[in-house]
Amino acid sequence: MLSKSELLRRLAEGHAARITVVTPNTRLAQALVADFDAFQADKRVWEAADILPVGAFVERLYEDALYSDIPGELPMLLTPAQEEHLWAEAIRAAPRELLSLAETAAQCRDAWRLLHAWRIGLTAGSEDTQAFQEWAASYTRRTAGDVDGARLPDLVSGLLPHLKLPKLLVAYAFDLLPPQTRDFLSALESSGVEIVECKPGPGKGVLKRTSFPSSTEELEKAAAWARARLEDRGQAPNCAPRIGVVVPDLQQRRKEVVRVFSRVMRPGYNLPGAKKEAMPFNVSIGAPLVQYPVVALALRVIRFSREELPFAEVSNILRSPFLGGAETELSARARLDVHLRRKLDATVSLPKLISRVDGAPLLRALLEKLFSITKDDLFKPQTPSEWARHFSALLEAAGFPGERVLDSDEYQARAKLNEMLGELARLERVAAKMGFGQALATLQRLCRETLFQPESPDAPVQVLGVLESAGLEFDHLWVSGLTDEAWPLQARPNPFIPVSLQRKAGIPEASAEGSLALDRRITEGWKAAAGEVVFSWFAMDEDRELAPSPLIADLPLASIEIPAYPRFRDVIFASRNVRTSEDNVAPPVTAKKVKGGTRVLADQAACPFRAFARHRLGARALEEPVDGLDAASRGTLLHSFMKSLWLLLKDSSALGQDCSQALRSAATQAVKELGLEGRFAELEGERLARLGAEWLEVERRRPPFMVAAVEQPVSFALAGIAYEGRIDRMDTLEKGSALIDYKTSRTVTPKHWEPPRPEDPQLPIYAVTAKEEVTAVAFAKVRRGEMRLMGFS
């Protein structure tokens, strides 16, 4: 066993000492490198230490073997993407029905890794185990002459006598060594390498335990605590403290974590025009590559070259800054987007979009170039490398990634996308030719399964998952979310290996006992990882009460002083910096006749600014193309149908006869007026006729009436201003007249007429300004299963 201080001193001797340090994971290796650099900080220059994850060390030895004089030909190392493809092919060849081929292949790859890492020999078992054995046999045949990551340590162990090896190998902070790793270290020792262990120095911190009402408040308090510790540097003002915050479900809550820590650490970070600076915190787990906008746009452009897309996605392409000419035609493309919302259908193809592009010549030229590439004879299957080149050509034709300079995150995401295209091309070694759809689906899967974290400067605050935090040292550590349901973790055995074999091998995740033992060791490691350690849990999950984890139940409860950092909006409101200015941009109303009818008054009653924006500034919501008819068109169709129907029926006496012919004629006339054609017009006509027949049952229950007017224009004046409107229908009754307004909304109610600020003043205004004696006003709710008249008489 080597102490950490002695390890750092030995590493300072340089490469002449021939020392290599291996760690369980990448983050621990990076942390140890940072500790070594801090140890050498009093020097101007020093040799970099050889510190890397154990898996990377094995791969480095394999690469050394490739360039050595070892006799014979070495098997080629498969990439993870190649492994999953071969597993998928092995599974696809077996006559079994599966819900998800990709997920099954990933589970099989994990089971294969466990079998070799823990030296498990499969025996006959459940149906799942038998299926896996069949797939594994097929996979073994398909990988003949190659080697995968699961078998690479065993291969390299036999090559060690031919390789240049370090003099001393230090296994740093290994809590658990699978048998395969132990065998590999034993092989190194047999080849003359001295093997020693090293762990972080024992520490005893001030331990605290506390709780919060909810998980959201707990996270906000942890962020505020981290900021307070960062600002309180005490005796070392020039040295930022090392602060860790552990979030067990970090993968699921990553977006929330980034939002909360950004808001607390740097209020106003997301304001328009705010200077983009590196945040003082880093999240250990990346986001799927496909979630980065520059990558999402690239995949969308590739899809659009062959497939119809929903208009929302096409709109995203039009307005994207990652398309060629986006900065030059920024305003033109925004106007084009507004125009196309009124002209295009809910789904759009590339040729149709090209035919509609006007006023943006650079965009049209790019789209035409994109289309010219797709016209090539590429519908026949191609090799993965040919598809990778074709996808790259498509992006180049689209001017990807745009004309503005990419920021650091965008640049790195684009570079990672190029790596994924390279991964697709490398599938050529193991994959047959494939069609466009399969090639694109493969690229999308690679981008979806790849967790990507852009490189950034070292940050003093580290937000970590459970496994990433093991073995790390801090000045201050907060471990959150330790409820009895979340910690210890539940057992997660692999479904393709019998649980009994996994338990016998000692896999911690295979049983509740193994998981408990591992999590207890991790908890003890946290207690010694910093001078101040806070353990917390949240007491409520919606309406469920939660208890603290039994692994921290022995710690003393303590109240933690955390400064209340106000949100940026609170700072703005507290400043009371209110300025008043008179806005004379909009001209005064001089027109004696107002456009918009009673909608102007409804908007004014609801909100004066709404009326100002809609009727004086002309503000309109962006339209959204839909399949078939939108709500406005359906309303127009219904009013046209009712108008034609009552022009034919005229009064209630006609309701005692067969009205089917009138219903069909009115429906035909309505769809014709709206310009519908073909089968769609037929279907809409049939729907209207059924709707009308159900509505006439309501009309038959009324006392005798005569329809005096339909869709009748009306004019009236209020406060010296003239308005125009249109009455859907006026009936002559035994005493007076009735005004009827057709509605299809589920929420329509006469309460919308009530003073002092009526939401829908149309019928009340018509009633009080009409020349006729109006004795009834009513909404006609024309909705299947909810037909009724509602109003006052």
Side-chain angles (χ1 to χ4, degrees):
M1 181 69 70
L2 198 66
S3 68
K4 184 175 180 179
S5 58
E6 176 65 13
L7 172 62
L8 296 178
R9 189 189 64 77
R10 297 277 296 272
L11 287 173
E13 298 174 7
H15 290 172
R18 291 173 55 196
I19 300 176
T20 295
V21 182
V22 293
T23 63
N25 55 58
T26 302
R27 182 161 292 273
L28 197 53
Q30 293 171 342
L32 188 57
V33 168
D35 289 342
F36 174 71
D37 291 342
F39 180 78
Q40 298 283 78
D42 58 331
K43 301 178 182 179
R44 295 185 60 184
V45 64
W46 59 88
E47 291 185 28
D50 188 23
I51 303 172
L52 71 170
V54 64
F57 176 64
V58 173
E59 290 187 16
R60 188 174 74 181
L61 292 177
Y62 168 76
E63 291 176 1
D64 291 345
L66 289 177
Y67 296 99
S68 69
D69 55 357
I70 296 176
E73 185 176 347
L74 289 177
M76 295 302 296
L77 177 62
L78 298 171
T79 67
Q82 291 171 338
E83 289 180 31
E84 286 208 14
H85 179 82
L86 289 173
W87 275 112
E89 289 299 308
I91 296 169
R92 188 182 288 112
R96 296 176 184 269
E97 294 185 4
L98 296 171
L99 293 177
S100 174
L101 178 62
E103 291 184 7
T104 304
Q107 288 270 29
C108 286
R109 181 169 173 258
D110 182 62
W112 185 252
R113 178 188 60 82
L114 291 174
L115 287 178
H116 290 83
W118 294 90
R119 304 303 193 200
I120 300 175
L122 274 186
T123 57
S126 66
E127 183 179 352
D128 289 340
T129 302
Q130 293 175 6
F132 174 72
Q133 288 177 307
E134 295 176 14
W135 298 333
S138 176
Y139 173 78
T140 303
R141 291 191 298 270
R142 295 170 188 272
T143 57
D146 294 323
V147 65
D148 53 29
R151 293 174 284 184
L152 186 63
D154 297 330
L155 171 69
V156 173
S157 294
L159 304 175
L160 294 177
H162 305 281
L163 301 177
K164 183 178 180 180
L165 302 174
K167 182 179 179 181
L168 173 67
L169 183 77
V170 180
Y172 181 79
F174 280 87
D175 180 70
L176 195 65
L177 280 177
Q180 186 184 46
T181 306
R182 285 202 303 268
D183 293 346
F184 175 71
L185 295 179
S186 298
L188 284 169
E189 197 168 24
S190 300
S191 299
V193 179
E194 182 184 359
I195 308 294
V196 299
E197 292 184 53
C198 180
K199 292 185 178 181
K204 185 63 177 177
V206 178
L207 307 181
K208 304 174 184 178
R209 180 170 66 109
T210 188
S211 67
F212 298 93
S214 68
S215 59
T216 299
E217 183 175 344
E218 180 189 33
L219 187 61
E220 291 176 345
K221 293 296 185 182
W225 172 87
R227 176 178 169 179
R229 297 301 181 270
L230 185 61
E231 294 177 349
D232 182 19
R233 300 193 179 186
Q235 301 299 320
N238 298 322
C239 181
R242 297 171 300 173
I243 302 169
V245 178
V246 178
V247 182
D249 52 349
L250 181 58
Q251 182 68 61
Q252 292 74 30
R253 300 181 67 189
R254 186 182 188 280
K255 289 184 179 180
E256 180 188 4
V257 167
V258 172
R259 183 175 65 252
V260 169
F261 272 76
S262 298
R263 186 176 64 215
V264 172
M265 295 288 181
R266 189 164 293 154
Y269 74 99
N270 56 350
L271 289 178
K275 185 178 179 181
K276 188 170 183 180
E277 299 178 353
M279 287 290 182
F281 69 90
N282 175 268
V283 180
S284 67
I285 298 178
L289 182 62
V290 73
Q291 292 183 7
Y292 288 82
V294 64
V295 176
L297 184 278
L299 296 176
R300 191 171 288 126
V301 167
I302 294 172
R303 277 181 60 209
F304 191 46
S305 69
R306 285 290 182 86
E307 303 175 6
E308 287 190 352
L309 295 184
F311 179 83
E313 295 191 44
V314 175
S315 174
N316 183 281
I317 293 175
L318 293 177
R319 296 177 289 106
S320 173
F322 306 117
L323 216 59
E327 298 294 307
T328 304
E329 293 184 338
L330 180 64
S331 298
R333 294 185 185 183
R335 290 192 297 270
L336 175 64
D337 179 67
V338 174
H339 173 72
L340 293 178
R341 289 172 180 271
R342 298 191 293 266
K343 300 296 182 183
L344 293 177
D345 298 327
T347 57
V348 186
S349 64
L350 178 58
K352 191 166 187 177
L353 177 62
I354 294 173
S355 68
R356 294 285 188 173
V357 172
D358 188 25
L362 294 179
L363 175 64
R364 185 182 180 96
L366 288 173
L367 295 177
E368 288 176 344
K369 187 176 181 181
L370 187 66
F371 180 67
S372 68
I373 295 178
T374 63
K375 290 194 301 184
D376 295 338
D377 186 19
L378 287 172
F379 287 98
K380 62 175 185 273
Q382 305 285 331
T383 64
S385 62
E386 289 173 329
W387 281 123
R389 287 193 295 271
H390 178 63
F391 293 161
S392 298
L394 290 174
L395 295 177
E396 183 180 355
F400 180 81
E403 57 188 2
R404 73 165 172 80
V405 178
L406 301 179
D407 64 27
S408 176
D409 289 359
E410 293 167 347
Y411 181 84
Q412 294 181 62
R414 183 203 174 192
K416 196 66 177 179
L417 172 64
N418 290 337
E419 289 185 25
M420 295 302 101
L421 287 168
E423 287 293 328
L424 175 64
R426 279 192 285 271
L427 286 179
E428 188 162 341
R429 283 193 62 244
V430 297
K433 291 184 177 182
M434 57 182 65
F436 173 86
Q438 185 180 357
L440 177 57
T442 302
L443 179 61
Q444 289 173 323
R445 179 178 58 79
L446 289 172
C447 294
R448 188 170 54 250
E449 294 177 355
T450 301
L451 295 180
F452 175 66
Q453 178 84 299
E455 293 184 9
S456 59
D458 291 337
V461 180
Q462 299 290 324
V463 186
L464 308 154
V466 169
L467 296 180
E468 293 85 8
S469 67
L472 296 180
E473 296 175 284
F474 305 94
D475 296 307
H476 309 277
L477 176 64
W478 182 306
V479 185
S480 66
L482 296 185
T483 66
D484 57 345
E485 294 183 358
W487 193 252
L489 297 173
Q490 295 181 357
R492 301 184 304 277
N494 188 285
F496 293 119
I497 304 175
V499 176
S500 59
L501 294 181
Q502 295 183 60
R503 288 178 176 175
K504 183 178 180 181
I507 300 176
E509 298 87 354
S511 66
E513 297 83 2
S515 182
L516 174 62
L518 175 62
D519 294 348
R520 181 176 281 117
R521 292 197 300 272
I522 292 175
T523 303
E524 293 302 316
W526 284 333
K527 292 178 180 179
E532 178 192 17
V533 184
V534 177
F535 295 94
S536 69
W537 79 96
F538 49 95
M540 295 292 294
D541 180 16
E542 295 181 348
D543 59 345
R544 295 188 307 118
E545 292 188 10
L546 300 175
S549 166
L551 295 181
I552 61 170
D554 60 326
L555 299 178
L557 282 170
S559 60
I560 304 173
E561 294 185 7
I562 302 174
Y565 294 106
R567 296 190 179 188
F568 195 74
R569 67 181 186 188
D570 300 328
V571 175
I572 294 175
F573 288 133
S575 68
R576 295 291 190 271
N577 186 13
V578 180
R579 299 179 184 180
T580 303
S581 61
E582 185 178 350
D583 187 355
N584 293 318
V585 175
V589 178
T590 57
K592 295 300 181 182
K593 184 177 291 185
V594 176
K595 295 181 179 180
T598 58
R599 172 50 55 188
V600 178
L601 301 175
D603 288 337
Q604 184 73 19
C607 171
F609 178 74
R610 179 192 296 179
F612 175 82
R614 283 181 175 175
H615 303 285
R616 294 179 66 186
L617 300 183
R620 297 288 183 272
L622 289 176
E623 297 180 30
E624 193 72 32
V626 297
D627 287 319
L629 299 177
D630 57 21
S633 297
R634 287 190 178 275
T636 300
L637 192 62
L638 175 66
H639 282 75
S640 179
F641 169 69
M642 288 298 188
K643 173 185 174 182
S644 299
L645 179 61
W646 287 109
L647 286 176
L648 292 172
L649 299 179
K650 300 186 184 304
D651 56 36
S652 57
S653 62
L655 298 178
Q657 306 169 13
D658 183 7
C659 299
S660 57
Q661 181 57 43
L663 289 167
R664 287 193 297 269
S665 298
T668 301
Q669 180 64 24
V671 297
K672 184 178 180 181
E673 288 181 6
L674 197 61
L676 304 182
E677 297 177 348
R679 179 60 179 158
F680 186 53
E682 266 183 62
L683 293 172
E684 280 297 319
E686 294 172 4
R687 183 186 69 83
L688 284 175
R690 290 195 301 271
L691 196 69
E694 187 175 345
W695 173 250
L696 291 184
E697 293 301 319
V698 176
E699 300 279 13
R700 289 189 176 98
R701 296 195 291 269
R702 293 177 55 193
F705 63 88
M706 181 180 71
V707 178
V710 290
E711 300 293 327
Q712 178 180 338
V714 294
S715 299
F716 56 93
L718 291 173
I721 300 177
Y723 296 85
E724 291 185 348
R726 187 178 298 276
I727 297 175
D728 289 352
R729 178 173 148 197
M730 178 183 288
D731 288 1
T732 300
L733 309 177
E734 183 178 350
K735 296 177 68 174
S737 302
L739 298 181
I740 297 176
D741 189 17
Y742 297 117
K743 298 289 186 182
T744 58
S745 171
R746 185 186 299 274
T747 59
V748 62
T749 169
K751 289 184 178 181
H752 294 167
W753 299 332
E754 293 179 357
R757 303 172 74 87
E759 295 182 34
D760 190 347
Q762 181 178 15
L763 281 188
I765 290 176
Y766 291 166
V768 301
T769 60
K771 298 177 182 179
E772 300 84 355
E773 180 188 3
V774 177
T775 56
V777 289
F779 283 136
K781 187 176 183 180
V782 186
R783 188 179 181 87
R784 293 295 301 272
E786 302 177 34
M787 304 285 186
R788 59 182 297 198
L789 282 162
M790 299 181 292
F792 302 113
S793 65

